Amino acid sequence: SNQNFIRNFSIIAHIDHGKSTLADALMRVCGALEQRHEKEQFLDTMDIERERGITIKAQTVRLSFRAKDGNLYQLNLMDTPGHVDFSYEVSRSLAACEGSLLVVDASQGVEAQTLANVYKAIEHNHTLIPVLNKMDLPSADPENIKTQIQNLIGLSGDDALEVSAKKGTGIEAVLQSIVDRLPSPQGDATACLKALLVDSWYDAYLGVILLVRVVDGIITQKMKIFMMAANAVYTVEQIGIFTPYPTPVNHLACGEVGYIIANVKTVRDCHIGDTLTEEQRPATEALPGFKPCTPVVFCSLFPTEAGDFDRLRESLAKLHLNDASFSYEMDTSNALGFGFRLGLLGLLHLEVVQERLEREFDLDLIITAPSVVYKIQLQNGTWIDLHNPADMPTPNEIHSMLEPWIKATLLVPDLYVGAVLTLLVERRGIQDSLEYITPTRALMVYRMPLNEVAFDFYDTLKSLTRGHASFDYDMDGYEEGELVLLSILLNGEPIHALASVVPQMRAYEKGRAICEKLKGILPRQLFPIAIQAAVGGKILARETVSALRKNVTAKCYGGDITRKRKLLEKQKEGKKRMRKFGNIEIPQKAFIEVLKLG
Ligand code: GTP
């Protein structure tokens, strides 16, 4: 087919501004959903996505649209996840397209995520079409939003289309604009094959599916494909497109998007962003690749029931089939037993993995505080990456320590600006800029350590602003930090699961807070318990839980035996949920509560 009649586009939007609803409306107008009974929202295929309203896996749909010029156009919609944790997925979807629809909720306006995604689209040289959605709402204020688009993004507000994805109005005009305004692919159809590996996932029936965008050349049946980065050759067994239903085709021509199946064993054999070429006639140069997605946040997972360890391992392996972006390895903790250390792309990614394990695999999990990756230079000159606070070298072995920083973008209603500024200062934020984009909304750009947002930052920001602030971030290099290992000791024994790396100036305050919290949570035992917070052997804080002399059965002195037995059984039940540490039993709630301190 002729590339002039192809358009590849994605939709970028802030969460809840209506990306999925618009995608469905586009499919409906193009007749894509008539083949079978419609699912409510096709693109959000995973349960968790549907419930939480977030899109995780990139998906793609080929639409046929008859434009005003009478020609039938092939429109390939690449779905992109909206959340910053998945920015590598956003990037690879954007790299497969020439333009984007920029969807903005006409009653809400431009948000932090809109901006972050716009910057990415511009990096990929995208042509942007602004679309004001939810025009059916009485609170829609298109003129105001057009001004925001003009001021913040530099696109003419006059070019914005007004639609209601929900009511289905203005959708034809969006499709016609895609044809009119977005460039067609400009590949060389006769050159050696170059195709971009956009995504891959595991299907229980078909095996590993590769989603590709053909940049130059053509992919045909039985072709021997050479994956340049993976340095492996596979034979194409099946070629298809999503309409959105998987539909086999004979070939994928220059400029097209589709899937291939080629007997690839696991998604780990596929490097997303890799270039596919033909073994017989290979391209000499690969397409510009992606930054590999390296985990930035680590935490440990332990089953609440020690007997569930094998199930946890199997479940992680299954999950990994479809999400090669997290890493895991075995971990042990004297307090929590056997578990796994996970490396994740961010906090939302952690939540998604946790939820899938708990929901899809019915596991009850304990999660330790997420910790970022520190770079440590030892006295002998070597550098190490610290993934687990428990592995921290002793202070006299450390020459210097670097921590990851981020550039945060926040949009905050004026009412809450003061509170948010205080929060940012507390979290070691450094102001890049602060400006009012409308009389009632401020745009803040701050640099701060990732460590400071790694735990409860979203929640604190949300409650400070009653959910009216929006936040997004990008990694922004490493900087030297005055960091120390804060250990927690119970009767002199360090509890590794409770150790954390904290800024030196915050160690005392955090140590105190943890001791106080533990004191309130630890059940009294038959002997006193000393709770201590220490840095490098120096005790910063101490609390004591006094001894208990109560016998649970004392209450029913002389009373009837069944009641006595019941009480004892109850006590046994209570014990199950404890972890014995030395001679001290720690309820699991204590770990979680302490970790919540961040
Ligand atoms: P993520 O997938 O989480 O990024 O969200 P999204 O941007 O895909 O938003 P989604 O399409 O799920 O829509 C969010 C909410 O807005 C849903 O409750 C929709 O029903 C509603 N919505 C979407 N479009 C419109 C519209 O045109 N008018 C009105 N009134 N509501 C809409």
Side-chain angles (χ1 to χ4, degrees), residues 11-24 40-41 44 49-50 52-56 79-83 103 105 113 132-138 163-169:
I11 307 180
I12 55 182
H14 190 74
I15 220 148
D16 270 350
H17 282 198
K19 187 178 59 169
S20 308
T21 311
L22 178 63
D24 281 4
E40 200 191 318
Q41 283 197 337
D44 284 353
E49 291 184 6
R50 190 161 300 196
R52 301 175 56 108
I54 52 169
T55 314
I56 299 158
D79 194 22
T80 55
H83 194 275
V103 176
D105 183 329
Q113 223 171 59
L132 306 187
N133 188 31
K134 308 200 187 180
M135 285 298 293
D136 59 296
L137 292 177
V163 313
S164 165
K166 196 170 173 179
K167 296 249 162 20
T169 53

Side-chain angles (χ1 to χ4, degrees), residues 187-197 212-219 223 225-226 228 252-256 274-278 281-288:
D188 182 347
T190 57
C192 331
L193 171 67
K194 268 190 196 178
L196 179 69
L197 179 56
V212 297
R213 153 75 198 266
V214 181
V215 176
D216 291 325
I218 184 170
I219 297 180
M223 188 184 250
I225 296 281
F226 176 55
M228 295 178 81
L252 288 177
C254 191
E256 294 189 331
D274 200 351
T275 302
L276 278 56
T277 188
E278 190 180 357
R281 194 163 75 110
T284 46
E285 239 175 89
L287 297 163

Side-chain angles (χ1 to χ4, degrees), residues 317-338:
K318 268 192 200 142
L319 208 58
H320 205 251
L321 282 178
N322 259 323
D323 182 359
S325 61
F326 75 86
S327 64
Y328 67 102
E329 57 183 50
M330 225 179 105
D331 192 15
T332 55
S333 150
N334 43 9
L336 299 168
F338 289 108

Side-chain angles (χ1 to χ4, degrees), residues 296-341:
V296 293
V297 172
F298 282 77
C299 70
S300 298
L301 286 185
F302 297 91
T304 305
E305 300 291 332
D308 276 347
F309 175 79
D310 283 334
R311 267 198 335 117
L312 175 59
R313 178 173 44 207
E314 280 161 25
S315 306
L316 279 168
K318 268 192 200 142
L319 208 58
H320 205 251
L321 282 178
N322 259 323
D323 182 359
S325 61
F326 75 86
S327 64
Y328 67 102
E329 57 183 50
M330 225 179 105
D331 192 15
T332 55
S333 150
N334 43 9
L336 299 168
F338 289 108
F340 289 94
R341 189 85 185 152

